[in-house]
Structure formats: structure tokens, C-alpha cells
Amino acid sequence: MSDSFSGKSGKVRVMYVRSDDENGKDNKGKRPAGKGGRDDNRRRDGNPRDKNPRNARGEGGDSRQRSSRDGAPRDNAWRNERAPGESSRPRSDRPRRDTSGESGGAYDSPWRTVSRAPSDEEETPDHGGISGKSQIDPEQIRRQRAEETRVYGEKACHALFSNRPDAIVRAWFLQEVTPRFREALRWMAANRKAYHVVDDEELSKASGTDHHGGVCFLIKKRQGLDARQYLEQQSAERDCVLALENVGNPHNLGGILRSCAHFGVQGVLLPDPALLESGAAIRTAEGGAEHVKAIGADDLAAELEVFRRAGYTIVTTTSAKGTSLSQLALPNKVVLVLGQEGNAQAAPWLRGDVNVSIDGTGKVEGLNVSVATGILLAEWWRQSRA
């Protein structure tokens, strides 16, 4: 007798073979399926199952078969079949492979994936000679950072974008200032310059200050000129160059740059041109830094000599006795030397062609260098206009 059932693999034909038991029952007392009967050992889905693992073909039980894909019957009692030469012990009695590992747990499925034990020699993956977390030379990163600086403040950033947008590497904005930088945002998007709209806390971290003014640019520093390069670019009949000695406060430098831009001074001579690129100095200059060129001077006295040979008059300033500024006729081309007097015998102060002082009440020793610069440049501008 046979029945047909449909399963996931298609239609399956199941055959039932009746035992020759004289009582009409199989060797386990089960009633075989017959006319009008139903095998009690059959699954609900129609597929029979054998509760007795020993009820295999050749042991007096049901020999159940199902068709394989090629139509040949296949023995359903495959669990007890043995390959030639294999041990005759029941498969359940054979030693099983311990896959519990280091945890010492119970035996799991033989199909479980077992991790390979670490070898004595770790294999080093081959990445084509590339190693390390970064493929950029650390020295190159240090040089790159040394060549960059942060500029912040609305007016300073507007002036920088108007004069040298290509220097911008990255930018950060508060949401409220973006409408005033609409053109800059369009340009950065078109030129694939990264920019971020952030909150106040994040902008403070990016700029390094709470006085960021709502915007910060990461830029490439300008390279300073030397005296000869500046003179090659200068062709005006009247020119004033400012030379600074021992002036490093960024707020003083920012105020000086702002005065220079206001009175038309194009060159500032100082030992370290990078000082004029500090964020605080550029912010204080309110955009004036973009109109002034930095001139490097490792040896200030030697550079002053270069300007002297080019026809410039060297004017030094002092709080001691000197020619009153109100009585001095400044020449067409002049280098004004200002700074911390500290050592009165310093060479730059002794090698000036003219020594000038700013009149006042004398109640204080002198003026702030930024304030003194503004007064001197205002007088130069007045005389040059006249």
C-alpha cells in the first residue's frame, strides 16, 4: 500500500510493507496501515516517522522509502547504514568529537563551526608594503599644520574671501551668519571646499576661541617676502614701510595692521612674518591684514641697510629726546622703526637716520606701540597728501 504526499521538495510517495507477524501486527505491537486505517506513527503533515531508531530495514519493521530526484527509491533509515569496513557498533555508541573547546561545555552539533586555534607564529597580512594607521608621513602632516592657520571674525573672513579665496582649506559657520556668507558658501561648494554649519560650542573648538564671531576659516599661510622682493614690486614715488622690533602681542599686531591698511602702508618688516597670520591678529585687524605684505627680517639691521641703499630714510622712534614729530618733514620714502626699546643700545635704534619722538604731557613714559604707530602713520599720510 502506498500514499502520496506533497512536501517542499515536491510530491513524495510513501510505501508501507506489512509484517508477516502471525498476530497481524509488527514486532513492536503497532497496527499496520490497512484498508480504512491510518498509521498512528505518521506525522500530521503526512510524512511518517519512526519512533524506534532500531526499526530499520532487515530487522522486521516498516521499511519506509521515499523517492529521490531521479525517481529511485531511497531508504529512509539512512542513520544506521554503514560504509564497507566501518565499525559494526551502532552509530550512537561510537565516540563523538568534542567541540566544546576551552569552555568545557557539552557536545554540540558536529556541523558547528570551530575556530582555528592560534598558531605559534602569527601570519602577517600582505598589504603591498603599506603599513600603519595612516599612509601620510607624520613629518608631512607636521609641515602641513605649520603651513596652516585659523582665521575668524566676520570682517576678517569676508576680506580674506574677497582677496585670496584659494587659500581657504575648510570653513565652519554658525547658522545665523550663513546668509551673510552666501557667496562664499556657493564658491566653496563649487570648488569642493569642505564647510560645516555647527553650533557655538563646536565652533569654539574649531577656532580655538570663544571670540570667533560666528565663522572660522582654516587657511594656508602666506609666504613672507624679503626686502629685495618687496622693492622689485614697489614702484610708487612715495612709500612707507613699517619695521617692528620685539612686537609679538597679536592684539597689538592686529591694531598695527589695521592702521597700516587705513593709511596706505603696504609693507611690514619683522623677524617672523608668520606673526601676522595669527587668528587673533587678523581678527583685530578687521580685514586690514589682507592689504599688508609681510617682509621677513632674520637680521633687522641688515634689511634696513637694503632699504637705505634703495633710497629709503630710516626713522627710529624713542620716548627720549628726539626730533618732535610735529616739526619733522618726512621724506617721500621712509622706513619707520618701532618696538620695545628695552635695550637702548640696540643696533636698529642707533643706526637710524632720524630719531623722532611724539610730543605729549610726559605724565606717562610712553605710548602703546599700536597707538604710537597710528599717530606716526597719520602724520605720514597727512604730509604725503599735502
Side-chain angles (χ1 to χ4, degrees), residues 67-79:
S67 301
S68 60
R69 293 184 180 179
D70 56 1
R74 186 171 62 181
D75 188 1
N76 194 36
W78 57 271
R79 293 183 181 85

Side-chain angles (χ1 to χ4, degrees), residues 221-235 239 241-242 265-277 289-300 303-304 306-307 312:
K221 292 180 181 178
R222 291 177 293 185
Q223 298 299 320
L225 306 174
D226 59 31
R228 293 170 180 79
Q229 289 174 326
Y230 174 83
L231 291 171
E232 289 173 359
Q233 300 176 8
Q234 184 56 244
S235 59
D239 184 39
V241 174
L242 190 65
V265 174
Q266 300 180 22
V268 175
L269 182 69
L270 73 170
D272 185 6
L275 292 174
L276 299 186
E277 294 289 290
E290 300 305 314
H291 305 284
V292 180
K293 299 174 184 177
I295 307 170
D298 292 334
D299 186 345
L300 183 58
E303 298 301 319
L304 290 176
V306 173
F307 278 97
Y312 285 73

Side-chain angles (χ1 to χ4, degrees), residues 2 41 85 91 96 110 128 138 154 201 218 226 264-265 270 277 286 288 307 314 317 327 342 357 365-366 373:
S2 64
N41 202 30
R91 189 173 295 269
R96 298 178 179 176
E154 278 198 46
E201 182 180 357
L218 177 66
D226 59 31
V265 174
L270 73 170
E277 294 289 290
E286 295 284 343
F307 278 97
I314 310 301
T317 59
Q327 300 175 1
S357 62
E365 184 178 353
T373 299

Side-chain angles (χ1 to χ4, degrees), residues 58-248:
E59 297 185 15
D62 291 344
S63 176
R64 286 167 285 182
Q65 298 177 341
R66 59 182 180 182
S67 301
S68 60
R69 293 184 180 179
D70 56 1
R74 186 171 62 181
D75 188 1
N76 194 36
W78 57 271
R79 293 183 181 85
N80 289 337
E81 290 183 350
R82 297 187 299 273
E86 190 178 357
S87 173
S88 61
R89 287 185 300 173
R91 189 173 295 269
S92 60
D93 296 336
R94 296 174 194 167
R96 298 178 179 176
R97 181 166 55 95
D98 183 10
T99 59
S100 58
E102 297 179 359
S103 61
Y107 172 79
D108 291 328
S109 169
W111 306 109
R112 193 182 99 182
T113 302
V114 180
S115 300
R116 184 179 61 180
S119 60
D120 294 337
E121 296 182 0
E122 294 291 339
E123 296 182 1
T124 303
D126 182 11
H127 298 295
I130 301 175
S131 62
K133 296 181 179 180
S134 174
Q135 310 310 323
I136 303 177
D137 183 7
E139 185 61 31
Q140 180 181 348
I141 295 177
R142 284 190 290 269
R143 287 196 304 268
Q144 180 177 332
R145 290 178 178 174
E147 294 170 357
E148 295 174 346
T149 188
R150 283 169 167 75
V151 175
Y152 43 85
E154 278 198 46
K155 291 184 179 179
C157 289
H158 271 301
L160 191 146
F161 173 71
S162 298
N163 289 273
R164 45 177 178 143
D166 291 334
I168 300 174
V169 177
R170 187 181 296 267
W172 294 265
F173 301 91
L174 293 183
Q175 181 64 50
E176 55 265 30
V177 306
T178 53
R180 298 190 287 277
F181 283 89
R182 190 176 291 109
E183 184 179 350
L185 290 169
R186 289 198 192 101
W187 182 88
M188 282 186 280
N191 290 272
R192 297 183 178 181
K193 301 285 186 176
Y195 66 87
H196 314 273
V197 179
V198 297
D199 57 20
D200 186 81
E201 182 180 357
E202 186 67 23
L203 186 53
S204 295
K205 292 179 181 179
S207 62
T209 178
D210 293 332
H211 306 288
H212 45 65
V215 58
C216 175
F217 287 167
L218 177 66
I219 66 167
K220 290 287 186 182
K221 292 180 181 178
R222 291 177 293 185
Q223 298 299 320
L225 306 174
D226 59 31
R228 293 170 180 79
Q229 289 174 326
Y230 174 83
L231 291 171
E232 289 173 359
Q233 300 176 8
Q234 184 56 244
S235 59
E237 294 183 2
R238 296 185 64 88
D239 184 39
C240 179
V241 174
L242 190 65
L244 300 177
E245 173 73 5
N246 297 326
V247 179

Side-chain angles (χ1 to χ4, degrees), residues 15-16 22 44 60 152 158-159 187 217 243 258 299 344 358 368:
M15 300 182 66
Y16 302 92
E22 60 182 1
R44 292 183 180 180
Y152 43 85
H158 271 301
W187 182 88
F217 287 167
R258 189 171 182 176
D299 186 345
I358 300 174
N368 174 273

